Amino acid sequence: MPRLASCLFACLTCLAAGAPLAQDRTQLPEIGSSAAQLISPAQERAYARQMLGEMRRYGLLLEDPLLSDWLQSIGHRIAARSDRPEQPFTFFFVRSRDINAFATLGGYIGMNAGLVLTAETEDEVAAVLAHEVAHATQRHIVRSVESAQRDSLPILLGMLGVLAAASASDSNSAGDASQAAIAGGLALMQQRQINYTRSNEHEADRVGIQTLARSGYDPLAMASFFGRMQRATRSQGDGMPDFLRTHPVTTTRISEAKDRAEELGKRAGGLPALTDEPINPALPGHVHESLSLAHGPDPLGFALARERLRVLSAQSPTEALAEYRRRERAGDELTEAERYGYALTLLRTGKAERALALLDPLQAKHDDRFWFDLAWAEALERNGQRAEADAAFGRMLDRQPRNRAIAMSYAGVLAERGTREAGLAAQAVLRPVLSESPYDPSLQESFGRACELAGDLPRAAEAFAEAAFLSGRAEDALNQLQRLKQREDIDYVQRARIDARIAEMTPIVLELRERGIRAGDRSRSMAPGAAARTLR
């Protein structure tokens, strides 16, 4: 037993001595790491796209063109002023009213609808995005995996050494010593991962607050949002928001965030001055001119996005309608944004005339807000005023011919008319937008319906296959393309394009088959709840 005790003490002492070193390394910004050898940026993006497809397959995503563009505009404004403005980012909504946000591989950052519904300002939404962007730019996800791999081998060897010594001992306590060695090793690995996660969170706070301030947002918003989340837990007991489970908030952390924000304000003499100067001439093409600091947060835009999220994240249109009716019965006057959300629920429940009554004054007052124009045009169509709807959509397309939300909304209206002429018109509206957003499954599906109506069946089949692939049904998509290739009415260009997509999809399908996942086979994959927990 003395020999066993000394062996155990030596192993644990060596491993414990190495733990602070791993923790200290993470307190510095990542300026070049061996983590890049674990997975390349291109592989990160490829895996992230597959993850997004799986989430679509389970119906976890909330994909609305208006909301997606709103989130992307805030996210890219922050990313453009991050430590890695050249890194591509993709921001998306999760169809859940739980309060959470997460960063994953390849600059893919997800935000639950519930977080925006809980936030009180655009600055608070931007603060959470800045925190998640910092996780991505500092490569915390890959570095965590690398750290776990690096730590697991010496800890495992130490456990094996203790187990070997215990098995060689004739003592009656050898079995207890073996169990203690296993429990101690696992506990040490878990503690080192906790230490690494805590240091990542503090680093993301520090880097995120700096990025938030550079982006023209209030750097105090991060501390205020964390504080409100902490207060929420006191009244909810065990019902802690998921955001706090994955981003543990303490009084110390809130104080540090507030102190950092105030220090930034002192250095700059207040909040950063808004300017119309270019951000950075070296920024990549995915960063648009709309990211200029010439404008600050948009309170009405945030309020409209929150109400639209409230409608689209409800369990059903009827449930959303009940929410607004409860507010109406409470006697409080609805804000403009709330009237907009109420009108959307009325449209979704077949009450177009009442929706128009709410939207008419809003559209007339805010002629610079195409969100009102779009809802108004849809209400005109649903109310049987087809000519007026066409005119309204035409004016919007003249001003913004490549706007995805306008194009998809009008194409949906045209598809409901069910004529060949409507299909041809929808094709013309969608084609320029499709070239700019080829990874949008809803857009691909909308284009497929337009092609069907127009009589272009091969192109429709191609678009439907692409939508299936982007929605996590890679094998279905491959089968559709292989059947399409057998048709005699496709030309040389189409055949070459189909062959190229088959070549791209085949390795992905083979990999999924090796993992035991086939199209539509959910029994071998994760349950939706498990998938969401893993992503967090």
Side-chain angles (χ1 to χ4, degrees):
M1 286 308 293
R3 183 178 61 176
L4 176 61
S6 62
C7 181
L8 178 60
F9 177 80
C11 290
L12 294 181
T13 300
C14 291
L15 293 170
L21 296 177
Q23 183 176 351
D24 290 344
R25 279 196 301 270
T26 64
Q27 293 174 356
L28 296 173
E30 201 271 320
I31 57 175
S33 163
S34 58
Q37 298 177 3
L38 189 65
I39 182 173
S40 70
Q43 288 174 316
E44 284 188 50
R45 290 191 291 274
Y47 283 124
R49 281 196 294 269
Q50 288 185 39
M51 175 211 71
L52 217 58
E54 285 294 299
M55 293 182 72
R56 285 192 185 105
R57 188 157 72 94
Y58 286 111
L60 297 176
L61 297 187
L62 195 162
E63 295 185 284
D64 174 74
L66 285 174
L67 291 172
S68 295
D69 289 348
W70 176 78
L71 185 65
Q72 296 280 356
S73 67
I74 299 174
H76 283 307
R77 176 173 174 169
I78 292 166
R81 293 166 184 85
S82 68
D83 293 341
R84 286 185 172 179
E86 74 283 355
Q87 177 177 342
F89 280 88
T90 300
F91 302 89
F92 57 92
F93 274 118
V94 178
R95 189 187 297 275
S96 170
R97 290 198 174 184
D98 292 337
I99 304 169
N100 202 9
F102 58 90
T104 186
L105 296 173
Y108 279 65
I109 294 175
M111 177 172 284
N112 284 17
L115 193 144
V116 178
L117 295 179
T118 304
E120 294 183 353
T121 63
E122 182 181 317
D123 295 271
E124 291 186 348
V125 174
V128 175
L129 288 177
H131 178 92
E132 302 301 337
V133 165
H135 276 310
T137 59
Q138 301 303 305
R139 302 206 74 187
H140 285 159
I141 302 159
V142 179
R143 284 164 56 189
S144 294
V145 175
E146 182 194 34
S147 174
Q149 289 184 347
R150 183 176 59 244
D151 291 344
S152 61
L153 182 58
I155 293 175
L156 179 60
L157 291 175
M159 290 168 58
L160 290 175
V162 175
L163 289 172
S167 63
S169 172
D170 294 331
S171 169
N172 293 331
S173 302
D176 294 338
S178 300
Q179 293 180 8
I182 294 172
L186 293 174
L188 182 56
M189 282 194 288
Q190 199 168 35
Q191 183 59 49
R192 291 186 68 170
Q193 186 62 30
I194 290 171
N195 292 340
Y196 196 90
T197 302
R198 285 173 179 165
S199 63
N200 284 350
E201 287 299 307
H202 285 289
E203 186 178 44
D205 287 349
R206 177 177 58 77
V207 175
I209 288 172
Q210 293 173 347
T211 305
L212 193 66
R214 289 198 298 263
S215 304
Y217 288 104
D218 183 0
L220 287 168
M222 187 177 290
S224 68
F225 187 77
F226 285 170
R228 193 140 35 80
M229 289 297 95
Q230 188 187 48
R231 290 191 295 273
T233 61
R234 295 171 184 168
S235 60
Q236 292 181 10
D238 294 334
M240 180 185 294
D242 289 336
F243 185 79
L244 294 187
R245 297 182 190 276
T246 55
H247 304 75
V249 175
T250 62
T251 303
T252 302
R253 185 177 175 190
I254 295 170
S255 299
E256 288 177 354
K258 187 175 181 181
D259 290 343
R260 288 191 190 102
E262 290 176 345
E263 182 62 28
L264 281 174
K266 289 176 184 177
R267 285 187 214 162
L271 292 179
L274 300 182
T275 173
D276 201 16
E277 295 178 1
I279 302 165
N280 183 345
L283 288 177
H286 70 273
V287 179
H288 303 291
E289 294 178 359
S290 61
L291 302 179
S292 168
L293 280 178
H295 59 85
D298 179 8
L300 180 56
F302 165 74
L304 291 175
R306 186 167 60 176
E307 295 308 315
R308 190 172 182 89
L309 267 174
R310 194 184 310 280
V311 173
L312 299 183
S313 65
Q315 293 292 330
S316 67
T318 304
E319 181 180 303
L321 187 60
E323 284 190 54
Y324 285 101
R325 281 179 171 167
R326 281 195 296 270
R327 294 188 188 190
E328 197 176 36
R329 285 195 296 268
D332 297 332
E333 184 178 355
L334 298 180
T335 65
E336 289 184 334
E338 287 172 335
R339 292 202 295 274
Y340 167 77
Y342 195 6
L344 292 181
T345 62
L346 291 169
L347 271 178
R348 287 164 62 84
T349 52
K351 300 174 177 61
E353 188 173 357
R354 290 187 60 195
L356 266 178
L358 287 171
L359 289 168
D360 279 336
L362 294 173
Q363 188 271 341
K365 179 180 177 182
H366 298 281
D367 56 356
D368 59 333
R369 296 276 179 175
F370 82 92
W371 284 40
F372 291 125
D373 289 336
L374 196 56
W376 183 66
E378 291 173 353
L380 288 171
E381 174 71 22
R382 301 290 184 271
N383 200 44
Q385 299 170 249
R386 182 172 295 182
E388 292 89 340
D390 285 336
F393 279 116
R395 286 192 297 271
M396 284 187 283
L397 287 171
D398 287 341
R399 292 195 299 266
Q400 302 182 65
R402 293 179 178 270
N403 185 288
R404 186 166 55 117
I406 297 172
M408 289 184 65
S409 177
Y410 192 28
V413 164
L414 291 169
E416 289 178 4
R417 296 177 185 177
T419 64
R420 184 173 182 276
E421 291 72 20
L424 291 170
Q427 273 186 314
V429 167
L430 291 172
R431 192 172 279 113
V433 182
L434 189 66
S435 63
E436 296 181 354
S437 304
Y439 299 117
D440 185 336
S442 299
L443 185 56
Q444 291 282 359
E445 191 168 346
S446 182
F447 188 66
R449 288 198 299 270
C451 291
E452 266 188 334
L453 286 176
D456 189 354
L457 298 183
R459 188 64 186 89
E462 199 175 341
F464 286 136
E466 198 66 39
F469 178 74
L470 294 170
S471 299
R473 305 196 314 276
E475 189 160 349
D476 281 349
L478 185 60
N479 291 336
Q480 289 179 41
L481 289 178
Q482 287 173 338
R483 287 194 298 270
L484 176 60
K485 188 180 173 181
Q486 306 304 315
R487 293 179 63 111
E488 297 180 356
D489 56 347
I490 58 174
D491 58 30
Y492 173 80
V493 174
Q494 282 181 308
R495 192 176 299 277
R497 190 168 58 231
I498 293 166
D499 284 337
R501 290 302 288 146
I502 288 175
E504 290 178 21
M505 291 181 187
T506 299
I508 296 172
V509 171
L510 292 176
E511 181 182 347
L512 292 174
R513 286 177 181 174
E514 288 179 4
R515 288 162 49 195
I517 301 173
R518 289 178 172 271
D521 182 6
R522 299 192 181 189
S523 60
R524 299 192 182 190
S525 189
M526 294 182 295
R533 287 193 296 273
T534 301
L535 291 169
R536 295 171 194 158

